[in-house]
Amino acid sequence: MSTDLPLLLLQGFRVLIDGLHAELARHGHPDVRPVHGFVLQAVADGCTAVELGRRLGVTKQAAAKHVEVLEGLGYLRRVPDPHDARARIVRRTVRGEDCLARSARILGDLREGWVKVLGPDRVHALEHDLRAVTADAPLRVDVPGWLGL
């Protein structure tokens, strides 16, 4: 049915992300939620809460709330902006970097699980085909805003 494709893509995403978070919990990151991954990625090499909101597609207030939560959990820190005494730069902590590094390894392991089920050629073809149909769309981390979170 024509409506199956988006739901199957979403379900595949959920299976991967749910598996990721179960493993992250076992590896010392039990409080990280899917939205936190988008925030940690969007912070990149550092940004203000205003810029983080833009990157995530959410309000400055929503971005600040995410920063506050992740700062409390030890994944982010705010430091003075060397160019603007009124502003603070959000940066990942060592714990935040560890979370992202572990996430990458775990997602690699989860991909290998798909390879065991589907075979390497089919997984490679799936990735190739998804890149082909999304080639004109930039990779974005604004899913929280897009979903209205």
Side-chain angles (χ1 to χ4, degrees):
M1 181 179 284
S2 64
T3 59
D4 287 350
L5 180 60
L7 295 175
L8 289 169
L9 289 169
L10 179 61
Q11 184 63 16
F13 176 77
R14 281 292 307 263
V15 165
L16 288 171
I17 298 305
D18 290 347
L20 166 65
H21 285 274
E23 282 301 306
L24 281 173
R26 285 191 272 281
H27 289 263
H29 298 282
D31 298 318
V32 176
R33 300 293 171 256
V35 70
H36 297 157
F38 290 104
V39 175
L40 290 171
Q41 290 178 53
V43 166
D45 60 347
C47 62
T48 64
V50 171
E51 178 58 28
L52 181 61
R54 271 196 288 271
R55 292 176 185 181
L56 293 171
V58 300
T59 65
K60 178 181 90 168
Q61 293 81 2
K65 182 178 178 185
H66 289 302
V67 170
E68 185 178 324
V69 168
L70 287 169
E71 191 173 36
L73 294 171
Y75 292 95
L76 295 177
R77 62 188 166 88
R78 288 179 266 199
V79 299
D81 184 334
H83 306 293
D84 182 350
R86 299 166 297 158
R88 312 262 297 156
I89 300 294
V90 179
R91 297 203 186 281
R92 291 187 295 251
T93 63
V94 170
R95 184 166 172 74
E97 294 291 344
D98 179 69
C99 183
L100 286 180
R102 287 179 190 270
S103 293
R105 287 192 298 272
I106 292 166
L107 286 170
D109 292 343
L110 292 169
R111 181 189 182 279
E112 286 305 309
W114 285 35
V115 167
K116 287 178 183 170
V117 171
L118 301 174
D121 292 342
R122 289 186 64 196
V123 171
H124 176 75
L126 174 62
E127 292 169 334
H128 178 269
D129 292 346
L130 288 171
R131 282 187 193 98
V133 298
T134 62
D136 293 334
L139 183 59
R140 297 168 56 175
V141 294
D142 67 346
V143 173
W146 184 72
L147 289 173
L149 299 175

